[in-house]
Amino acid sequence: MSLESVKVINLPRIEDRRGNLSFIEGNRHIPFEIARTYCIYDVPGGQFRSGHAYYTQQEFIVALSGSFDVVLTDGVQEKTISLNRSYYGIYIPKMIWRQLTNFSTNSLALVLASIPFDESDYIRDFEKYKKIQNEAYNYI
């Protein structure tokens, strides 16, 4: 999988005098059915979260409060996407290495996942990840 498959997705946004409302529906606004949700919050300054990739899981990450950066790589290229509003997020397909960094005070990340938690789906060793990606690229 290459970084071109990563997408920033704008969510529906309903605005009126009472404030704004955004929502997310699986297989409509994001390209998978939502099987699990979790939040990341109270990350101490200078810390980062989740340097890993997944064999099969797809994710959608949105900043519900505050801001943070999503650092992405396919083993060859790297890019950073800053999330700081609740009306857009980032779609990350399987086999993209990601790390969350640069959390602001009181930031809250919402993560929607395509499968239930499965420890065996994680690739937590970056060198192993690069080897798998290299073999996939050489196969193509």
Side-chain angles (χ1 to χ4, degrees), residues 12 17 23 40 46 54 58 74 89 98 117 128-129 134 136 139:
R17 61 181 170 68
F23 55 96
I40 300 171
Y54 301 102
Q58 303 169 75
D74 58 10
R98 62 95 158 159
F117 176 78
K128 178 180 178 181
Y129 169 77
N134 188 44
Y139 179 73

Side-chain angles (χ1 to χ4, degrees), residues 105-117:
T105 302
N106 295 323
S107 59
L108 172 59
L110 173 66
V111 184
L112 309 177
S114 64
I115 65 172
F117 176 78

Side-chain angles (χ1 to χ4, degrees), residues 69-106:
D69 294 335
V70 183
V71 181
L72 304 153
T73 185
D74 58 10
V76 177
Q77 297 177 305
E78 179 176 300
K79 73 176 169 180
T80 300
I81 298 174
S82 296
L83 296 178
N84 58 16
R85 302 298 297 192
S86 58
Y87 53 81
Y88 71 91
I90 183 169
Y91 164 69
I92 306 172
K94 66 181 182 177
M95 292 305 297
I96 297 293
W97 187 271
R98 62 95 158 159
Q99 182 174 325
L100 305 181
T101 65
N102 198 26
F103 286 86
S104 69
T105 302
N106 295 323

Side-chain angles (χ1 to χ4, degrees), residues 13-63:
R13 195 164 136 190
I14 301 169
E15 302 175 58
D16 67 23
R17 61 181 170 68
R18 300 169 296 167
N20 300 328
L21 177 126
S22 289
F23 55 96
I24 306 165
E25 295 178 7
N27 286 328
R28 184 168 176 202
H29 305 115
I30 58 175
F32 59 85
E33 191 64 39
I34 301 165
R36 175 171 61 116
T37 62
Y38 61 96
C39 294
I40 300 171
Y41 55 95
D42 292 341
V43 178
Q47 294 297 308
F48 64 91
R49 295 286 309 207
S50 305
H52 60 264
Y54 301 102
Y55 288 106
T56 59
Q57 179 172 293
Q58 303 169 75
E59 291 184 312
F60 183 73
I61 303 174
V62 63

Side-chain angles (χ1 to χ4, degrees), residues 126-139:
F126 188 63
E127 294 306 314
K128 178 180 178 181
Y129 169 77
K130 287 193 307 186
K131 183 178 178 187
I132 293 167
Q133 283 290 80
N134 188 44
E135 290 169 358
Y137 280 121
N138 287 334
Y139 179 73

